[in-house]
Amino acid sequence: MPLGTLDRTPPPFFKQGIPALTKLVFFSALALFLMVADTRFKVTQPLRAAMATVLHPVERVLLAPVRAWGTVHDYFAGVAEARAGEAAALRRLAEQSERASRVDLHMQENARLRELLGLRAQVSVRSEAAEVLYEASDPYTRKLIIDRGANHGIEAASPVIDADGVLGQVTRVYPLASEVTLLTDKDAAIPVLNTRTKARAAAYGDPGTLAAGAGMELRFLSNNADVQPGDVLHTSGVDGIYPPGLEVATVVSVDRRSGQTFAKVVLAPAAVQGSVRHVLVLEPLNLQLPPRPGEAAASAAPVLPQSAEQP
Protein backbone atom coordinates (compact mmCIF):
# COMPACT_ATOMS: atom_id res chain seq x y z
CA MET A 1 0.00 0.00 0.00
CA PRO A 2 1.44 3.38 -0.89
CA LEU A 3 2.43 5.47 2.14
CA GLY A 4 0.56 8.45 0.83
CA THR A 5 -2.75 6.71 1.22
CA LEU A 6 -2.29 6.13 5.02
CA ASP A 7 -4.36 8.22 7.42
CA ARG A 8 -1.88 10.03 9.62
CA THR A 9 -4.46 11.72 11.90
CA PRO A 10 -4.46 10.39 15.50
CA PRO A 11 -7.37 8.25 16.55
CA PRO A 12 -10.11 9.95 18.66
CA PHE A 13 -8.68 8.56 21.88
CA PHE A 14 -5.45 10.53 21.44
CA LYS A 15 -7.08 13.81 20.40
CA GLN A 16 -6.41 16.11 23.39
CA GLY A 17 -7.70 19.43 22.10
CA ILE A 18 -6.69 22.29 24.46
CA PRO A 19 -3.52 21.48 26.36
CA ALA A 20 -3.96 20.30 29.92
CA LEU A 21 -1.75 23.08 31.31
CA THR A 22 -3.97 25.70 29.73
CA LYS A 23 -7.05 24.10 31.27
CA LEU A 24 -5.37 23.99 34.68
CA VAL A 25 -4.43 27.66 34.55
CA PHE A 26 -7.89 28.71 33.29
CA PHE A 27 -9.91 26.80 35.88
CA SER A 28 -7.55 27.79 38.69
CA ALA A 29 -7.98 31.44 37.77
CA LEU A 30 -11.76 30.96 37.52
CA ALA A 31 -11.90 29.29 40.96
CA LEU A 32 -9.80 32.08 42.49
CA PHE A 33 -12.02 34.71 40.88
CA LEU A 34 -15.18 33.06 42.14
CA MET A 35 -13.79 32.77 45.66
CA VAL A 36 -12.79 36.44 45.77
CA ALA A 37 -16.07 37.54 44.22
CA ASP A 38 -18.09 35.44 46.65
CA THR A 39 -16.13 36.75 49.63
CA ARG A 40 -16.28 40.41 48.65
CA PHE A 41 -19.44 40.79 46.59
CA LYS A 42 -21.54 37.71 47.54
CA VAL A 43 -22.15 36.96 43.86
CA THR A 44 -22.89 33.31 44.52
CA GLN A 45 -25.19 33.94 47.46
CA PRO A 46 -28.41 33.72 45.36
CA LEU A 47 -27.16 30.53 43.72
CA ARG A 48 -26.24 29.06 47.10
CA ALA A 49 -29.65 29.98 48.51
CA ALA A 50 -31.43 28.44 45.51
CA MET A 51 -29.41 25.24 45.78
CA ALA A 52 -30.08 25.02 49.50
CA THR A 53 -33.80 25.46 48.90
CA VAL A 54 -33.86 22.78 46.23
CA LEU A 55 -31.81 20.33 48.27
CA HIS A 56 -33.67 20.92 51.53
CA PRO A 57 -36.35 18.24 50.89
CA VAL A 58 -33.60 15.80 49.91
CA GLU A 59 -31.72 16.53 53.12
CA ARG A 60 -34.89 16.01 55.17
CA VAL A 61 -35.50 12.65 53.49
CA LEU A 62 -31.90 11.53 54.03
CA LEU A 63 -31.99 12.66 57.67
CA ALA A 64 -35.25 10.84 58.40
CA PRO A 65 -33.58 7.48 59.28
CA VAL A 66 -31.00 9.22 61.49
CA ARG A 67 -33.70 11.16 63.32
CA ALA A 68 -35.83 8.07 63.69
CA TRP A 69 -32.94 6.17 65.25
CA GLY A 70 -32.17 9.11 67.55
CA THR A 71 -35.82 9.35 68.59
CA VAL A 72 -35.98 5.65 69.45
CA HIS A 73 -32.72 5.85 71.38
CA ASP A 74 -33.83 8.97 73.27
CA TYR A 75 -37.16 7.34 74.09
CA PHE A 76 -35.68 4.26 75.72
CA ALA A 77 -32.94 6.29 77.42
CA GLY A 78 -35.55 8.77 78.64
CA VAL A 79 -37.74 6.00 80.02
CA ALA A 80 -34.82 4.53 81.96
CA GLU A 81 -33.79 7.97 83.23
CA ALA A 82 -37.36 8.81 84.21
CA ARG A 83 -37.70 5.58 86.18
CA ALA A 84 -34.41 6.21 87.97
CA GLY A 85 -35.47 9.80 88.70
CA GLU A 86 -38.83 8.61 90.01
CA ALA A 87 -37.17 6.15 92.38
CA ALA A 88 -34.75 8.83 93.63
CA ALA A 89 -37.61 11.31 94.06
CA LEU A 90 -39.61 8.79 96.07
CA ARG A 91 -36.62 8.20 98.35
CA ARG A 92 -36.11 11.93 98.83
CA LEU A 93 -39.82 12.40 99.47
CA ALA A 94 -39.76 9.76 102.19
CA GLU A 95 -36.71 11.37 103.79
CA GLN A 96 -38.22 14.84 103.58
CA SER A 97 -41.52 13.65 105.03
CA GLU A 98 -39.74 12.24 108.06
CA ARG A 99 -37.68 15.41 108.36
CA ALA A 100 -40.74 17.65 107.97
CA SER A 101 -42.48 15.90 110.85
CA ARG A 102 -39.48 16.61 113.07
CA VAL A 103 -39.24 20.21 111.82
CA ASP A 104 -42.86 20.88 112.78
CA LEU A 105 -42.17 19.55 116.26
CA HIS A 106 -39.04 21.69 116.59
CA MET A 107 -40.87 24.78 115.37
CA GLN A 108 -43.61 24.32 117.94
CA GLU A 109 -41.02 23.79 120.66
CA ASN A 110 -39.06 26.84 119.49
CA ALA A 111 -42.21 28.99 119.53
CA ARG A 112 -43.01 27.90 123.10
CA LEU A 113 -39.44 28.63 124.24
CA ARG A 114 -39.40 32.05 122.60
CA GLU A 115 -42.73 32.86 124.19
CA LEU A 116 -41.41 31.67 127.55
CA LEU A 117 -38.29 33.83 127.23
CA GLY A 118 -40.20 36.84 125.94
CA LEU A 119 -38.23 37.00 122.67
CA ARG A 120 -39.43 38.55 119.47
CA ALA A 121 -41.34 36.40 117.05
CA GLN A 122 -39.25 35.20 114.14
CA VAL A 123 -39.49 37.34 111.08
CA SER A 124 -41.18 36.05 107.93
CA VAL A 125 -39.14 37.58 105.14
CA ARG A 126 -41.19 39.02 102.31
CA SER A 127 -39.71 38.85 98.82
CA GLU A 128 -40.35 40.00 95.26
CA ALA A 129 -39.21 38.02 92.21
CA ALA A 130 -37.32 39.99 89.57
CA GLU A 131 -35.50 39.38 86.31
CA VAL A 132 -32.07 40.72 85.44
CA LEU A 133 -32.31 43.07 82.47
CA TYR A 134 -28.64 43.83 81.84
CA GLU A 135 -25.35 44.66 83.48
CA ALA A 136 -24.43 48.27 84.17
CA SER A 137 -22.28 49.86 81.48
CA ASP A 138 -19.71 51.22 83.94
CA PRO A 139 -16.61 48.97 83.60
CA TYR A 140 -15.33 49.97 87.04
CA THR A 141 -18.33 48.68 89.00
CA ARG A 142 -20.17 45.40 89.38
CA LYS A 143 -23.86 46.22 89.10
CA LEU A 144 -27.03 44.76 87.58
CA ILE A 145 -30.32 46.29 86.53
CA ILE A 146 -33.50 44.39 87.45
CA ASP A 147 -37.06 44.87 86.21
CA ARG A 148 -38.62 45.81 89.56
CA GLY A 149 -38.66 49.28 91.05
CA ALA A 150 -40.51 51.65 93.34
CA ASN A 151 -43.85 50.90 91.69
CA HIS A 152 -43.42 47.26 92.77
CA GLY A 153 -42.55 48.08 96.38
CA ILE A 154 -38.77 47.81 96.05
CA GLU A 155 -36.82 49.95 98.50
CA ALA A 156 -33.19 50.98 98.65
CA ALA A 157 -30.87 48.71 100.69
CA SER A 158 -33.03 45.64 99.98
CA PRO A 159 -31.01 42.38 99.89
CA VAL A 160 -30.96 40.50 96.58
CA ILE A 161 -30.45 36.73 96.50
CA ASP A 162 -30.61 33.85 94.05
CA ALA A 163 -30.86 30.10 94.48
CA ASP A 164 -27.23 29.84 95.67
CA GLY A 165 -26.99 32.69 98.13
CA VAL A 166 -26.66 36.45 98.54
CA LEU A 167 -26.06 38.26 95.26
CA GLY A 168 -25.95 41.90 96.34
CA GLN A 169 -28.01 44.82 97.52
CA VAL A 170 -30.32 47.37 95.91
CA THR A 171 -28.49 50.69 95.84
CA ARG A 172 -30.67 52.78 93.55
CA VAL A 173 -34.40 52.54 92.86
CA TYR A 174 -36.23 53.84 89.80
CA PRO A 175 -39.99 53.70 89.17
CA LEU A 176 -39.81 50.56 86.98
CA ALA A 177 -36.29 49.27 87.61
CA SER A 178 -33.61 49.06 90.28
CA GLU A 179 -29.84 49.00 90.40
CA VAL A 180 -28.22 46.14 92.31
CA THR A 181 -24.63 46.39 93.53
CA LEU A 182 -23.04 42.95 93.59
CA LEU A 183 -20.99 41.68 96.51
CA THR A 184 -17.90 41.67 94.28
CA ASP A 185 -18.09 45.44 93.76
CA LYS A 186 -15.22 47.40 95.31
CA ASP A 187 -17.65 49.42 97.47
CA ALA A 188 -19.74 46.45 98.68
CA ALA A 189 -19.62 45.23 102.28
CA ILE A 190 -21.65 42.70 104.25
CA PRO A 191 -21.42 41.36 107.84
CA VAL A 192 -20.89 37.60 107.92
CA LEU A 193 -20.79 34.74 110.40
CA ASN A 194 -18.37 31.83 110.18
CA THR A 195 -20.58 28.75 110.54
CA ARG A 196 -17.70 26.70 111.93
CA THR A 197 -16.36 29.06 114.60
CA LYS A 198 -19.43 31.31 115.04
CA ALA A 199 -17.11 34.31 114.70
CA ARG A 200 -18.43 37.50 113.13
CA ALA A 201 -16.52 39.48 110.54
CA ALA A 202 -17.04 41.83 107.59
CA ALA A 203 -16.66 40.77 103.97
CA TYR A 204 -15.81 43.28 101.24
CA GLY A 205 -15.78 43.17 97.48
CA ASP A 206 -12.44 42.58 95.77
CA PRO A 207 -12.80 42.74 91.96
CA GLY A 208 -9.08 42.12 91.53
CA THR A 209 -9.49 38.45 92.46
CA LEU A 210 -12.39 37.72 90.08
CA ALA A 211 -10.05 36.17 87.51
CA ALA A 212 -8.93 33.64 90.13
CA GLY A 213 -12.50 32.52 90.85
CA ALA A 214 -12.89 34.67 93.98
CA GLY A 215 -14.09 38.28 94.21
CA MET A 216 -14.37 39.00 97.95
CA GLU A 217 -12.14 39.22 101.01
CA LEU A 218 -12.33 39.38 104.79
CA ARG A 219 -10.72 42.56 106.04
CA PHE A 220 -9.40 43.56 109.45
CA LEU A 221 -9.08 39.92 110.56
CA SER A 222 -6.20 39.33 112.93
CA ASN A 223 -3.27 37.27 111.72
CA ASN A 224 -3.97 34.52 114.27
CA ALA A 225 -7.73 34.34 113.72
CA ASP A 226 -9.32 30.90 113.47
CA VAL A 227 -10.26 30.80 109.80
CA GLN A 228 -9.47 28.05 107.32
CA PRO A 229 -10.00 27.40 103.60
CA GLY A 230 -13.38 25.80 103.12
CA ASP A 231 -15.14 27.72 105.92
CA VAL A 232 -18.66 28.74 104.90
CA LEU A 233 -19.82 32.26 105.71
CA HIS A 234 -23.48 33.19 106.24
CA THR A 235 -25.18 36.49 106.96
CA SER A 236 -25.07 37.33 110.66
CA GLY A 237 -28.19 39.51 110.74
CA VAL A 238 -26.61 42.09 113.06
CA ASP A 239 -26.86 44.88 110.49
CA GLY A 240 -30.66 44.89 110.39
CA ILE A 241 -30.63 44.54 106.59
CA TYR A 242 -29.83 40.94 105.68
CA PRO A 243 -31.81 38.11 107.30
CA PRO A 244 -29.52 35.74 109.21
CA GLY A 245 -28.56 32.38 107.77
CA LEU A 246 -28.17 33.28 104.08
CA GLU A 247 -25.07 31.81 102.45
CA VAL A 248 -22.61 34.49 101.37
CA ALA A 249 -19.22 33.01 100.47
CA THR A 250 -16.63 30.31 101.07
CA VAL A 251 -13.05 30.88 102.21
CA VAL A 252 -10.68 30.11 99.35
CA SER A 253 -7.28 30.93 100.82
CA VAL A 254 -5.73 32.40 103.97
CA ASP A 255 -2.41 34.23 103.72
CA ARG A 256 -0.80 34.81 107.13
CA ARG A 257 2.25 36.95 106.45
CA SER A 258 4.80 37.42 109.18
CA GLY A 259 5.04 40.98 110.37
CA GLN A 260 1.53 41.83 109.20
CA THR A 261 -1.28 42.70 111.59
CA PHE A 262 -4.10 41.36 109.48
CA ALA A 263 -4.41 38.17 107.44
CA LYS A 264 -5.28 38.15 103.75
CA VAL A 265 -8.46 36.02 103.49
CA VAL A 266 -9.83 35.53 99.96
CA LEU A 267 -13.47 34.49 99.49
CA ALA A 268 -15.50 33.01 96.65
CA PRO A 269 -19.12 34.27 96.59
CA ALA A 270 -21.81 31.61 96.82
CA ALA A 271 -24.00 33.15 94.13
CA VAL A 272 -22.88 32.74 90.53
CA GLN A 273 -22.85 36.36 89.44
CA GLY A 274 -22.09 36.01 85.76
CA SER A 275 -25.03 33.93 84.60
CA VAL A 276 -27.88 34.80 86.96
CA ARG A 277 -31.18 35.65 85.25
CA HIS A 278 -33.78 35.60 88.02
CA VAL A 279 -33.40 36.90 91.57
CA LEU A 280 -35.41 37.52 94.72
CA VAL A 281 -35.49 40.97 96.31
CA LEU A 282 -36.00 40.71 100.08
CA GLU A 283 -37.46 43.41 102.25
CA PRO A 284 -34.85 44.85 104.63
CA LEU A 285 -34.95 43.14 108.00
CA ASN A 286 -35.39 46.34 110.00
CA LEU A 287 -38.70 47.03 108.24
CA GLN A 288 -40.13 43.65 109.25
CA LEU A 289 -39.30 43.42 112.94
CA PRO A 290 -42.51 43.39 114.99
CA PRO A 291 -42.45 45.90 117.89
CA ARG A 292 -42.37 44.78 121.49
CA PRO A 293 -45.47 45.50 123.58
CA GLY A 294 -43.89 48.60 125.13
CA GLU A 295 -42.45 49.81 121.85
CA ALA A 296 -45.76 50.19 120.08
CA ALA A 297 -46.92 53.11 122.23
CA ALA A 298 -43.49 54.73 122.11
CA SER A 299 -43.35 54.48 118.35
CA ALA A 300 -46.88 55.90 118.08
CA ALA A 301 -46.06 58.94 120.22
CA PRO A 302 -44.60 61.85 118.23
CA VAL A 303 -41.00 62.79 118.98
CA LEU A 304 -40.69 66.52 119.46
CA PRO A 305 -37.54 68.59 119.19
CA GLN A 306 -35.91 69.50 122.51
CA SER A 307 -36.81 73.12 122.06
CA ALA A 308 -40.50 72.25 121.76
CA GLU A 309 -40.71 69.74 124.60
CA GLN A 310 -40.77 72.39 127.34
CA PRO A 311 -43.03 75.42 126.88
Side-chain angles (χ1 to χ4, degrees):
M1 179 183 295
L3 295 177
T5 60
L6 294 177
D7 187 7
R8 298 180 180 273
T9 59
F13 180 78
F14 296 97
K15 292 182 179 179
Q16 298 183 358
I18 302 175
L21 181 60
T22 305
K23 293 181 180 179
L24 176 63
V25 173
F26 173 77
F27 286 110
S28 299
L30 179 61
L32 181 62
F33 170 77
L34 291 177
M35 286 190 293
V36 174
D38 184 50
T39 303
R40 289 297 186 91
F41 307 106
K42 308 295 182 183
V43 294
T44 61
Q45 185 64 27
L47 177 61
R48 185 181 290 110
M51 291 295 296
T53 304
V54 172
L55 295 176
H56 182 70
V58 180
E59 293 176 352
R60 296 294 298 269
V61 172
L62 295 177
L63 285 175
V66 179
R67 291 184 176 180
W69 171 255
T71 301
V72 173
H73 179 270
D74 293 343
Y75 172 77
F76 287 105
V79 169
E81 183 178 356
R83 290 177 178 174
E86 181 186 8
L90 290 176
R91 288 195 300 269
R92 288 196 301 267
L93 180 60
E95 296 174 358
Q96 292 175 359
S97 299
E98 186 271 337
R99 186 179 303 174
S101 62
R102 289 189 286 110
V103 167
D104 292 339
L105 180 61
H106 292 329
M107 290 181 63
Q108 295 175 5
E109 182 180 357
N110 187 29
R112 288 195 298 269
L113 290 175
R114 298 182 71 89
E115 183 180 358
L116 179 63
L117 296 175
L119 300 178
R120 294 181 185 268
Q122 291 183 340
V123 179
S124 177
V125 180
R126 292 182 291 272
S127 62
E128 176 73 22
E131 183 177 359
V132 176
L133 297 178
Y134 57 88
E135 294 187 7
S137 57
D138 188 354
Y140 301 102
T141 60
R142 298 285 298 171
K143 297 182 179 181
L144 299 175
I145 306 300
I146 59 176
D147 64 346
R148 291 293 185 271
N151 293 349
H152 306 91
I154 304 299
E155 299 188 11
S158 298
V160 179
I161 67 172
D162 69 352
D164 298 317
V166 179
L167 188 68
Q169 188 177 18
V170 175
T171 52
R172 186 171 297 176
V173 180
Y174 305 104
L176 298 177
S178 299
E179 183 183 80
V180 178
T181 299
L182 302 180
L183 293 181
T184 54
D185 187 85
K186 58 183 179 63
D187 297 325
I190 180 173
V192 295
L193 176 71
N194 191 324
T195 58
R196 182 179 62 86
T197 64
K198 307 303 179 185
R200 293 190 179 95
Y204 294 82
D206 187 11
T209 59
L210 281 174
M216 300 178 65
E217 65 174 345
L218 282 181
R219 297 179 186 173
F220 315 116
L221 202 65
S222 61
N223 211 5
N224 60 351
D226 185 10
V227 58
Q228 301 174 3
D231 286 352
V232 180
L233 306 180
H234 286 189
T235 52
S236 62
V238 298
D239 58 341
I241 300 295
Y242 294 91
L246 300 177
E247 187 170 352
V248 177
T250 303
V251 177
V252 175
S253 63
V254 181
D255 186 7
R256 307 180 192 271
R257 299 180 181 179
S258 59
Q260 297 291 335
T261 305
F262 303 110
K264 175 69 174 180
V265 182
V266 180
L267 310 176
V272 181
Q273 305 186 3
S275 59
V276 62
R277 295 301 305 165
H278 297 87
V279 298
L280 280 179
V281 182
L282 308 181
E283 189 174 5
L285 190 62
N286 55 8
L287 299 181
Q288 305 179 46
L289 291 175
R292 294 179 184 272
E295 295 176 351
S299 61
V303 179
L304 301 177
Q306 292 184 357
S307 60
E309 288 181 357
Q310 299 294 335

